[in-house]
Amino acid sequence: MAEKKFFLTTPIFYPNANLHLGHAYTTVLSDIVVRYHRLQKERVYFLTGADENTQKIVIAAREAGKPPQKFLDARVEGFKKLFADLNISYNQFIRTSDKEVHWPGAQKLWQKLAEAGDIYKKEYEGLYCVGHEAFLTSKELINGKCPEHGTSPERIKEENYFFRLSKYTSEIKKRIEFGELRVIPETRKNEILSLLEEGLQDVSFSRPKTASSIGIPVPDDDSQVMYVWCDALSNYITALGYGRDEKLFAEFWPADVHVIGKDILRFHAAIWPGMLLSAGLPLPKTLFVHGFITSGGKKMSKTLGNVIDPTELLQEYGTDAVRYYLARHVSPFEDGDITHEGFKSIYNGDLANGLGNLASRVMTLAQTHLPGPVKVEFVPYPKEFTDALEKFEVNRATDYVWGRIGELDKKITETEPFKLIKTDPEKGKSLISDLVRELAAVDLLLEPILPGTSKKIIEAIIANKKPENLFPRKE
Ligand code: MSP
């Protein structure tokens, strides 16, 4: 049988600001799932990128006193550096400013929608929130302001192209209801179904081109540029060569999973399926929707000043400490809070005293008392662990690993190998060899979650040597 393929995407990130820990969460969660699928010997494609044709960039670049493209390049370098520091194993980083990679496919998709009769011109008046990159209704405002961004939306009256999304309401609803397009978790599925119940409105899909606007020209009408969400969503197929060289597209589309945060569910569960249906393309199989990371009980935001910068945590604690925290101590389904104090206490408890100490205890015993390295074999992943990862529940998978770490610690305490080796050297050695094998089995489970640490531990086992201090205690 041909090996299974697995195509996973993250959202593409707005480069108007630096990425914070919430953005890092989406990406780390995705990376763990992807690494797990690679270890299952599947053919994996992991896509991430930057969403660049947005009005936010024009504003941010102007504030920084830089030309937009220069500004974007620097920000995207920063994103890539952060992803390297987080050990993110993406196959491709797409940039929607890339005229060769992205634009031809975005324009081809537009043409497909037009050919289907789903694009029409209309005079439109509405309240546009740049933070959302979307029109808001007056019902959504509080005291005339967008409650999320705290800004007054712009009243815009202009002629736009519209996408006939309303036409696809019942088809999208059916696909979601019957699980052909799975929305996980159930609460998000219900949320989108009730929205579909009300019926979808057609959406404005272009903006008039102005001197300062950036964006993909609408095919056959240079006076308009594509609406940023129409442009951004198409990245999932343009990255695979749609409209350009469709080999990867044929191999990997439809996506096995789009990982997204709860705030962009509507775009992915309504507009995107609508576009694909209109173009006659298969729908993604799964939308995995996670909650928000909050700080001190509030949504992280620049205005509130409670943004946690992943770079700071990485410098202080290292790659795998940040991956560990995000993997285990943030629930993928609910909002999760993080503070600097909480991070430190978890680091000391679970990593310095937990995993780090265990690896050091076992390997000190092995190095001192065994004549050479213990031969370790591949142990298949237990069902509890694979089940959790198949469902994207990386926190549960990581709980399982730490359960095993606790058991191994307990076994050392109870069997006292450092005493046994004196009273009965043969039995003592055999016990220590068992402990090394169990450490190796735990280490294998760590591979998708903490790949760097996992590598150091297996190298120590192979060399029969105590590893370097993996997680130095922080006072
Ligand atoms: N550019 C759009 C996505 C286009 S996808 C075709 C966008 N970008 S974003 O940079 O604002 O957000 C990217 C992702 O980060 C989203 O999934 C969003 O939910 C997630 N997060 C932003 N803040 C977050 C937290 N505080 N916590 C967890 N994830 C959050 O939206």
Side-chain angles (χ1 to χ4, degrees), residues 40 51 75 176 184 257 264 268 273 311 333 338 387 473:
Q40 300 300 101
D51 190 352
R75 270 285 152 71
I176 294 177
I184 303 175
V257 50
I264 55 176
H268 284 79
T311 313
F333 301 137
I338 171 173
D387 274 357
R473 246 195 99 77

Side-chain angles (χ1 to χ4, degrees), residues 11-14 20 22-23 51 229 232 236 261 263-264 290-293:
I12 50 174
F13 300 92
Y14 288 132
H20 59 57
H23 304 117
D51 190 352
W229 273 99
Y236 298 134
D263 56 329
I264 55 176
H290 64 74
F292 272 172
I293 298 191

